[in-house]
Amino acid sequence: MTTRTRFGIILITAPVLAFALVGGLLGKTMGGQETYPHLRVFDDVFSLTTGNYVEEVDVDRLMHGAMHGLADALDADSAYLTAEQTKLLQSGAAAGPADVGLDITRQYYLRIVAARENSPAAKAGLRPGDFIRMIGSEPTREMSVWEGMRLLRGAAGTTVKLVVLRGNAAEPHDVELTRETAPPAPPAPRLLPSKIGYVRVPEFTEGTGAALRRAAEQLQQQGAKALVLDVRGTARGALEAGIESARPFVPAGTLAILEPRGEARRIVSAASGDGGVTLPLAVLTDFGTAGAAELFVAALTGNKRAETLGERTQGRAALQRLFPLPDGGSLWMSHAWYLTPAGTAIHERGLQPDVPVPQPDVEFGTPAPAGDQTLEKAVERLGSRIAQ
């Protein structure tokens, strides 16, 4: 490649790189450093690569790799999208109507955050923490969460093959799942012994808050003196739905704080009429508790309305938007995130439970052990409180 050609490529790609860098792609690591020294280093790396690599370099592939690398350095929910992927997203044709019930994140490979109850993925034994090495014939090593979710979706009745790794197992497992459509699952209440109500919250929707209020009232009429709210493996729903669902339990105070990049924080507070449910609460969490469920938990614990038991949550509390690029591609990038009522970050950190209860390891193909230590511990602690 001649010097003149290389200079032309730099002139074309520099605006894209400048947009990405100045827009905040390296904001978390650059701190107060200037942007231009990093661009000079990139120029040096580009020159060394195109001039010294053992064979002729595909410049388009090199630049796409650089863009993917920049986005990968941010968080699991941010991604560089090619021009083709951008068109799919903007056209609304990026995902099919049916799925296999998986929510995923990115950690070297794509990794399962949660498998929706009674979904094809759950019935196949897939669990939070499993790694997806391949979707169909596509390896996930360099695949974004956005692309992974697109490939998992499709027409109802169609199948998708996954190659899955669990824990330290050396051998992967081949799994074939049939896509299906499923309506939103409402909270499911039942009365436990010792006058304690239990409500499983499988996902958060616009109506979840009202449904939780009705469930609490129903259980209270049946004699419940306390409530266990189970959001283990709950990763679906708009972030705002998680905050709104906390209103029946919090009479006053800050529910959440939204912090956009370069703008003032926005405080979401309890309003008049909130807080009708006054029963003592315990909330069950695990690695699969993500997104809206985390904001729900943070609102309750941040206002001292609940004790949490289980495992650390996932840490996904950011909002994404599309930033178009001159080449037709785009950045699907986190631009704002929610904080706890105390102002601490949730995104990529998660929420630590008040009472840690480790979940048992289960080998692939082996049913989970009987019993539920986390629920039993919650019942024990709530029982002590209502007996006082």
Side-chain angles (χ1 to χ4, degrees):
M1 178 178 292
T2 66
T3 301
R4 182 175 181 179
T5 301
R6 183 175 64 79
F7 182 70
I9 293 171
I10 291 295
L11 286 178
I12 294 171
T13 57
V16 178
L17 291 170
F19 176 90
L21 292 172
V22 175
L25 277 174
L26 297 180
K28 292 166 65 176
T29 56
M30 285 172 58
Q33 301 177 46
E34 293 182 357
T35 298
Y36 291 107
H38 294 273
L39 289 175
R40 286 197 292 270
V41 170
F42 179 86
D43 186 12
D44 289 341
V45 172
F46 185 90
S47 300
L48 289 169
T49 303
T50 55
N52 296 278
Y53 189 63
V54 66
E55 62 180 1
E56 189 75 16
V57 174
D58 183 330
V59 175
D60 286 339
R61 182 180 178 187
L62 187 67
M63 294 309 302
H64 285 161
M67 292 303 180
H68 280 294
L70 286 170
D72 285 349
L74 299 175
D75 61 21
D77 294 313
S78 297
Y80 167 70
L81 305 182
T82 64
E84 181 180 359
Q85 291 172 333
T86 301
K87 288 180 181 178
L88 283 172
L89 180 61
Q90 291 175 328
S91 69
D99 66 10
V100 295
L102 285 177
D103 289 278
I104 57 177
T105 186
R106 177 169 174 76
Q107 188 177 338
Y108 190 78
Y109 295 116
L110 295 181
R111 195 177 192 190
I112 295 175
V113 173
R116 188 183 70 242
E117 290 179 4
N118 299 316
S119 67
K123 292 174 182 177
L126 300 185
R127 295 170 58 86
D130 288 347
F131 291 93
I132 302 174
R133 197 166 77 174
M134 295 189 72
I135 301 176
S137 61
E138 300 292 328
T140 68
R141 177 63 188 90
E142 298 180 358
M143 186 179 292
S144 68
V145 171
W146 180 89
E147 178 67 4
M149 291 299 292
R150 188 184 73 83
L151 292 176
L152 288 173
R153 299 187 69 90
T158 59
T159 61
V160 59
K161 293 182 179 180
L162 308 181
V163 177
V164 179
L165 291 169
R166 176 171 297 174
N168 296 320
E171 294 298 323
H173 301 272
D174 295 332
V175 180
E176 183 172 271
L177 304 174
T178 300
R179 300 180 178 96
E180 66 177 20
T181 56
R190 58 188 171 95
L191 189 64
L192 300 176
S194 304
K195 296 183 179 180
I196 293 174
Y198 169 89
V199 185
R200 169 70 184 132
V201 189
E203 60 184 301
F204 285 89
T205 66
E206 185 178 345
T208 299
L212 284 173
R213 186 188 297 273
R214 291 193 298 270
E217 292 172 350
Q218 172 188 328
L219 291 168
Q220 211 165 356
Q221 290 172 1
Q222 296 173 3
K225 303 297 182 182
L227 290 179
V228 175
L229 304 174
D230 189 351
V231 292
R232 291 176 294 180
T234 302
R236 297 205 166 189
L239 296 179
E240 295 82 359
I243 300 171
E244 293 302 308
S245 297
R247 291 189 181 278
F249 307 98
V250 182
T254 298
L255 299 176
I257 301 171
L258 178 64
E259 186 175 56
R261 174 66 185 266
E263 300 179 22
R265 290 181 172 182
R266 305 170 194 170
I267 297 176
V268 182
S269 302
S272 175
D274 290 349
V277 180
T278 59
L279 295 173
L281 305 174
V283 183
L284 312 185
T285 66
D286 67 1
F287 178 79
T289 303
E294 290 179 285
L295 296 184
F296 175 75
V297 173
L300 297 183
T301 58
N303 288 280
K304 304 187 184 303
R305 278 294 288 121
E307 180 179 61
T308 54
L309 301 92
E311 294 183 313
R312 181 181 65 84
T313 65
Q314 174 67 210
R316 297 180 80 179
L319 297 172
Q320 289 77 39
R321 57 176 286 203
L322 197 68
F323 293 84
L325 295 174
D327 66 347
S330 62
L331 290 171
W332 178 250
M333 189 163 57
S334 298
H335 69 100
W337 57 19
Y338 280 101
L339 310 176
T340 69
T344 57
I346 301 171
H347 195 61
E348 295 200 298
R349 298 184 185 183
L351 302 169
Q352 293 289 350
D354 298 314
V355 182
V357 183
Q359 301 299 301
D361 293 328
V362 180
E363 292 186 8
F364 204 94
T366 303
D372 189 335
Q373 294 182 355
T374 309
L375 177 56
E376 292 169 1
K377 188 69 173 177
V379 169
E380 174 189 333
R381 294 179 69 86
L382 284 174
S384 299
R385 288 182 61 183
I386 63 178
Q388 295 176 356

